PDB file of all heavy atoms in Angstrom:
ATOM      1  N   CYS U 377      60.522 184.108  90.466  1.00 98.00           N
ATOM      2  CA  CYS U 377      59.765 183.210  89.609  1.00 98.00           C
ATOM      3  C   CYS U 377      59.491 183.864  88.264  1.00 98.00           C
ATOM      4  O   CYS U 377      59.121 185.025  88.173  1.00 98.00           O
ATOM      5  CB  CYS U 377      58.433 182.855  90.296  1.00 98.00           C
ATOM      6  SG  CYS U 377      57.408 181.673  89.390  1.00 98.00           S
ATOM      7  N   HIS U 379      57.118 183.375  86.342  1.00 98.00           N
ATOM      8  CA  HIS U 379      55.720 183.574  86.050  1.00 98.00           C
ATOM      9  C   HIS U 379      55.359 185.048  86.384  1.00 98.00           C
ATOM     10  O   HIS U 379      55.219 185.872  85.457  1.00 98.00           O
ATOM     11  CB  HIS U 379      54.810 182.611  86.888  1.00 98.00           C
ATOM     12  CG  HIS U 379      53.382 182.790  86.618  1.00 98.00           C
ATOM     13  ND1 HIS U 379      52.434 182.744  87.618  1.00 98.00           N
ATOM     14  CD2 HIS U 379      52.658 183.068  85.476  1.00 98.00           C
ATOM     15  CE1 HIS U 379      51.246 182.930  87.097  1.00 98.00           C
ATOM     16  NE2 HIS U 379      51.355 183.121  85.800  1.00 98.00           N
ATOM     17  N   LEU U 380      55.286 185.389  87.607  1.00 97.00           N
ATOM     18  CA  LEU U 380      54.915 186.772  87.989  1.00 97.00           C
ATOM     19  C   LEU U 380      55.866 187.340  89.008  1.00 97.00           C
ATOM     20  O   LEU U 380      55.538 188.364  89.669  1.00 97.00           O
ATOM     21  CB  LEU U 380      53.472 186.838  88.513  1.00 97.00           C
ATOM     22  CG  LEU U 380      52.406 186.512  87.435  1.00 97.00           C
ATOM     23  CD1 LEU U 380      51.014 186.499  88.107  1.00 97.00           C
ATOM     24  CD2 LEU U 380      52.432 187.556  86.302  1.00 97.00           C
ATOM     25  N   GLY U 381      57.014 186.745  89.207  1.00 96.00           N
ATOM     26  CA  GLY U 381      58.050 187.383  89.965  1.00 96.00           C
ATOM     27  C   GLY U 381      58.041 187.089  91.480  1.00 96.00           C
ATOM     28  O   GLY U 381      58.728 187.797  92.217  1.00 96.00           O
ATOM     29  N   CYS U 382      57.299 186.131  91.938  1.00 97.00           N
ATOM     30  CA  CYS U 382      57.349 185.797  93.356  1.00 97.00           C
ATOM     31  C   CYS U 382      58.698 185.201  93.741  1.00 97.00           C
ATOM     32  O   CYS U 382      59.400 184.623  92.891  1.00 97.00           O
ATOM     33  CB  CYS U 382      56.272 184.785  93.715  1.00 97.00           C
ATOM     34  SG  CYS U 382      54.580 185.467  93.696  1.00 97.00           S
ATOM     35  N   CYS U 395      57.292 177.501  93.980  1.00 98.00           N
ATOM     36  CA  CYS U 395      56.701 178.831  94.078  1.00 98.00           C
ATOM     37  C   CYS U 395      55.340 178.748  94.762  1.00 98.00           C
ATOM     38  O   CYS U 395      54.435 178.038  94.316  1.00 98.00           O
ATOM     39  CB  CYS U 395      56.584 179.489  92.721  1.00 98.00           C
ATOM     40  SG  CYS U 395      56.007 181.193  92.868  1.00 98.00           S
ATOM     41  N   CYS U 397      53.067 180.996  94.958  1.00 97.00           N
ATOM     42  CA  CYS U 397      52.015 181.855  94.393  1.00 97.00           C
ATOM     43  C   CYS U 397      51.067 181.106  93.492  1.00 97.00           C
ATOM     44  O   CYS U 397      49.837 181.180  93.676  1.00 97.00           O
ATOM     45  CB  CYS U 397      52.668 183.020  93.630  1.00 97.00           C
ATOM     46  SG  CYS U 397      53.546 184.160  94.695  1.00 97.00           S
ATOM     47  N   HIS U 398      51.585 180.378  92.512  1.00 97.00           N
ATOM     48  CA  HIS U 398      50.664 179.674  91.588  1.00 97.00           C
ATOM     49  C   HIS U 398      51.160 178.238  91.304  1.00 97.00           C
ATOM     50  O   HIS U 398      50.739 177.639  90.321  1.00 97.00           O
ATOM     51  CB  HIS U 398      50.542 180.463  90.300  1.00 97.00           C
ATOM     52  CG  HIS U 398      50.240 181.907  90.472  1.00 97.00           C
ATOM     53  ND1 HIS U 398      51.237 182.850  90.457  1.00 97.00           N
ATOM     54  CD2 HIS U 398      49.087 182.532  90.737  1.00 97.00           C
ATOM     55  CE1 HIS U 398      50.679 184.051  90.703  1.00 97.00           C
ATOM     56  NE2 HIS U 398      49.366 183.888  90.884  1.00 97.00           N
ATOM     57  N   GLY U 399      52.094 177.774  92.118  1.00 97.00           N
ATOM     58  CA  GLY U 399      52.436 176.359  92.081  1.00 97.00           C
ATOM     59  C   GLY U 399      53.528 175.955  91.103  1.00 97.00           C
ATOM     60  O   GLY U 399      53.741 174.756  90.897  1.00 97.00           O
ATOM     61  N   SER U 400      54.211 176.876  90.530  1.00 98.00           N
ATOM     62  CA  SER U 400      55.318 176.489  89.640  1.00 98.00           C
ATOM     63  C   SER U 400      56.389 175.749  90.418  1.00 98.00           C
ATOM     64  O   SER U 400      56.659 176.047  91.600  1.00 98.00           O
ATOM     65  CB  SER U 400      55.948 177.729  88.972  1.00 98.00           C
ATOM     66  OG  SER U 400      55.046 178.280  88.008  1.00 98.00           O
ATOM     67  N   TYR U 402      60.475 174.140  90.058  1.00 98.00           N
ATOM     68  CA  TYR U 402      61.733 174.111  89.298  1.00 98.00           C
ATOM     69  C   TYR U 402      62.678 173.096  89.907  1.00 98.00           C
ATOM     70  O   TYR U 402      62.686 172.884  91.107  1.00 98.00           O
ATOM     71  CB  TYR U 402      62.410 175.497  89.429  1.00 98.00           C
ATOM     72  CG  TYR U 402      61.619 176.696  88.953  1.00 98.00           C
ATOM     73  CD1 TYR U 402      60.776 177.321  89.845  1.00 98.00           C
ATOM     74  CD2 TYR U 402      61.740 177.177  87.664  1.00 98.00           C
ATOM     75  CE1 TYR U 402      60.083 178.496  89.465  1.00 98.00           C
ATOM     76  CE2 TYR U 402      61.015 178.308  87.275  1.00 98.00           C
ATOM     77  CZ  TYR U 402      60.185 178.955  88.159  1.00 98.00           C
ATOM     78  OH  TYR U 402      59.476 180.086  87.771  1.00 98.00           O
ATOM     79  N   PRO U 412      52.680 177.388  86.107  1.00 98.00           N
ATOM     80  CA  PRO U 412      52.659 178.224  84.872  1.00 98.00           C
ATOM     81  C   PRO U 412      53.937 178.941  84.519  1.00 98.00           C
ATOM     82  O   PRO U 412      53.973 179.661  83.539  1.00 98.00           O
ATOM     83  CB  PRO U 412      51.548 179.226  85.217  1.00 98.00           C
ATOM     84  CG  PRO U 412      51.606 179.373  86.675  1.00 98.00           C
ATOM     85  CD  PRO U 412      51.939 178.000  87.199  1.00 98.00           C
ATOM     86  N   ALA U 413      55.021 178.784  85.271  1.00 98.00           N
ATOM     87  CA  ALA U 413      56.230 179.476  84.899  1.00 98.00           C
ATOM     88  C   ALA U 413      56.637 179.110  83.472  1.00 98.00           C
ATOM     89  O   ALA U 413      56.674 177.907  83.133  1.00 98.00           O
ATOM     90  CB  ALA U 413      57.324 179.076  85.847  1.00 98.00           C
TER      91      ALA U 413
HETATM   92  S1  FES K 149      54.623 183.809  90.439  1.00 73.69           S
HETATM   93 FE1  FES K 149      55.443 181.759  90.689  1.00 73.69          FE
HETATM   94  S2  FES K 149      53.904 180.508  89.908  1.00 73.69           S
HETATM   95 FE2  FES K 149      53.120 182.476  89.636  1.00 73.69          FE
END
Side-chain angles (χ1 to χ4, degrees):
C377 184
H379 180 221
L380 293 176
C382 287
C395 184
C397 293
H398 311 97
S400 290
Y402 303 88

